[in-house]
Amino acid sequence: MPCHFAPGLKPFPVPVDQDGIRVEELGRLAAQAVIVTPAHQYPTGVALSPGRRAALLEWAVRNNAIVTEDDYDAEYRYDRDPVGALQGLAPDHVIYAGSASKILAPGLRLGWLLLPGHLTGALSSEKTHADLGSDVTAQLALANFIETGELDRHLRRTRRTYRARRAALIDAIHTHLPDAQIQGVAAGLHVLAILPSETSETKLTAAAAARGVSVHGLSRHRANPTAGPPGLILGYANLPEPAIKRGIRELAIARKQTRARVGRRR
Ligand SMILES: Cc1ncc(COP(=O)(O)O)c(C=O)c1O
């Protein structure tokens, strides 16, 4: 599996199903820490089920382990109630991580952590060594945005915008890619479209790129790229509805082209 972790850390993939991370696998791996996206797993979009949430926290307490809760897109929920953070249930074992990347812009490079008290010294030392601290002007601007209520207003506005974009995307997929199974729509800023097993993700994403549509395949997120059906991760945050519709139409044309080429070669 490609590994982009800092030296000294050895990551292991853990399977995810419709209820989220398979907690029993953590025991098998004798892991000491785990990174999860419980509110909206990336990229499948599943939420960690109540049973698994309890099991994960039980595992962390029993093994004196650390759970990093990456709440990267928690602010965008459409069809379901907000899911409470794990952090509040086991504050001595959970590091909560939030980010301005989805609510404002990834270029800001701002985020926040809530962590067990015994880790704060080590963490601030790591942060100092990493970059001497984040941009102060951007932090002050964000603080002002929050204090004046502008962030709340911005979230209310963008939730409406993204809800409409999400609806346009789902509608376009139903029209142009009717055999795709859509997953993970209840929250966040992307959906997952699972495609029939004969689809070549690589060919399809290349053909789509040639038509001006940039999409990522699901296999790049798998520990074993060939295990499981092909799929596409379709983000909708930064495109107005007409562009989303056009994009899915182009994607459907790209798909027909790749199928025709496969057919001709046979
Ligand atoms: C799973 C996941 N976590 C976190 C983030 C945000 O990362 P950062 O705050 O470093 O931009 C993203 C952004 O796309 C993400 O997909």
Side-chain angles (χ1 to χ4, degrees):
M1 176 174 109
C3 166
H4 307 289
F5 278 61
L9 286 182
K10 188 168 180 200
F12 290 95
V14 183
V16 167
D17 61 24
Q18 285 310 307
D19 287 323
I21 188 169
R22 296 233 302 262
V23 177
E24 75 276 11
E25 300 282 331
L26 292 172
R28 203 176 50 74
L29 287 169
Q32 294 172 311
V34 63
I35 300 176
V36 287
T37 44
H40 191 232
Q41 202 272 341
Y42 191 88
T44 64
V46 298
L48 192 63
S49 70
R52 293 273 176 89
R53 284 165 64 91
L56 182 62
L57 295 177
E58 215 177 279
W59 166 83
V61 172
R62 201 172 50 243
N63 295 284
N64 199 20
I66 288 289
V67 175
T68 295
E69 175 174 25
D70 175 6
D71 210 14
Y72 66 109
D73 65 0
E75 294 80 4
Y76 295 108
R77 300 260 162 279
Y78 311 101
D79 312 316
R80 68 172 186 231
D81 293 333
V83 188
L86 293 175
Q87 190 275 341
L89 302 173
D92 290 337
H93 291 278
V94 181
I95 299 175
Y96 175 92
S99 169
S101 289
K102 300 287 185 194
I103 53 175
L104 291 170
L108 273 177
R109 307 311 310 140
L110 283 185
W112 43 91
L113 296 173
L114 272 178
L115 61 154
H118 69 277
L119 293 178
T120 49
L123 193 102
S124 44
S125 158
E126 287 296 325
K127 176 70 178 162
T128 306
H129 284 107
D131 60 8
L132 289 176
S134 300
D135 178 72
V136 174
T137 316
Q139 290 185 66
L140 290 174
L142 178 59
N144 178 267
F145 204 54
I146 295 168
E147 279 160 15
T148 55
E150 281 302 321
L151 180 64
D152 282 341
R153 276 190 281 282
H154 168 77
L155 286 173
R156 279 198 293 276
R157 216 169 28 239
T158 49
R159 272 189 206 112
R160 277 197 300 277
T161 304
Y162 295 148
R163 187 187 281 275
R165 290 179 182 177
R166 182 188 71 142
L169 175 64
I170 294 170
D171 190 52
I173 296 174
H174 284 151
T175 307
H176 299 293
L177 300 169
D179 56 356
Q181 280 174 40
I182 313 174
Q183 295 182 7
V185 296
L189 300 173
H190 73 275
V191 305
L192 179 61
I194 299 290
L195 297 166
S197 56
E198 69 275 13
T199 312
S200 161
E201 253 181 41
T202 326
K203 287 186 183 138
L204 177 54
T205 50
R211 302 190 67 83
V213 179
S214 168
V215 284
H216 287 159
L218 177 60
S219 56
R220 64 191 291 188
H221 294 283
R222 291 186 193 279
N224 173 359
T226 55
L232 295 177
I233 297 159
L234 302 170
Y236 53 85
N238 62 351
L239 294 171
E241 284 103 292
I244 290 174
K245 288 182 182 167
R246 231 175 15 251
I248 297 297
R249 223 170 28 233
E250 290 296 326
L251 187 58
I253 297 171
R255 187 159 171 228
K256 278 197 189 113
Q257 286 174 339
T258 53
R259 279 171 162 175
R261 275 189 220 122
V262 171
R264 269 206 300 277
R265 228 175 286 133
R266 274 207 196 110

